[in-house]
Amino acid sequence: MDIPATPPAGPAAPEPSPFAQRVLDVVEAIPPGRVMAYGDIAEYLAESGPRQVGAVLARWGGAVPWWRVPRADGRPPPGLESAALAHYRDEGTPMRPDGDRVDMRRARWDGA
């Protein structure tokens, strides 16, 4: 069975809402080796909340450095732990002694 080089055409994915685009812009601006939690992004934007930020990343986050948005306790996004940990190592992100979580105190970016 031959697999096509490009996927078959389907309905176009809707463009991100203005809020979603703002979230994606913030994630794109996070420097390598630094992170912002979902709630940090919502607070930085002064709108919505962590769940809405998470929903944006779940839908459109593949095009931005999604691994730079761990949970508030420093754990990587669920289901993407291995990939995120590899990115953290590559970028020199400060980690907790257990090696499974980002050291949020040292790695958190304030958006400045």
Side-chain angles (χ1 to χ4, degrees):
M1 172 180 202
D2 290 324
I3 299 173
T6 57
E15 292 294 316
S17 68
F19 169 72
Q21 190 58 58
R22 287 189 295 278
V23 168
L24 297 171
D25 290 345
V26 171
V27 175
E28 188 69 40
I30 301 170
R34 304 299 297 275
V35 298
M36 291 179 92
Y38 299 99
D40 295 338
I41 293 172
E43 185 177 321
Y44 179 81
L45 292 173
E47 62 182 305
S48 204
R51 289 178 189 240
Q52 290 79 12
V53 170
V56 168
L57 289 175
R59 180 138 191 194
W60 292 289
V64 297
W66 53 266
W67 59 90
R68 296 181 190 153
V69 186
R71 293 177 169 192
D73 67 358
R75 287 184 292 151
L80 300 170
E81 294 88 353
S82 294
L85 290 169
H87 284 292
Y88 300 148
R89 280 191 300 276
D90 290 346
E91 294 184 356
T93 306
M95 301 297 289
R96 303 274 303 179
D98 63 13
D100 292 336
R101 294 184 294 152
V102 171
D103 184 333
M104 295 300 287
R105 184 181 56 77
R106 293 177 30 223
R108 183 174 264 131
W109 186 59
D110 64 6

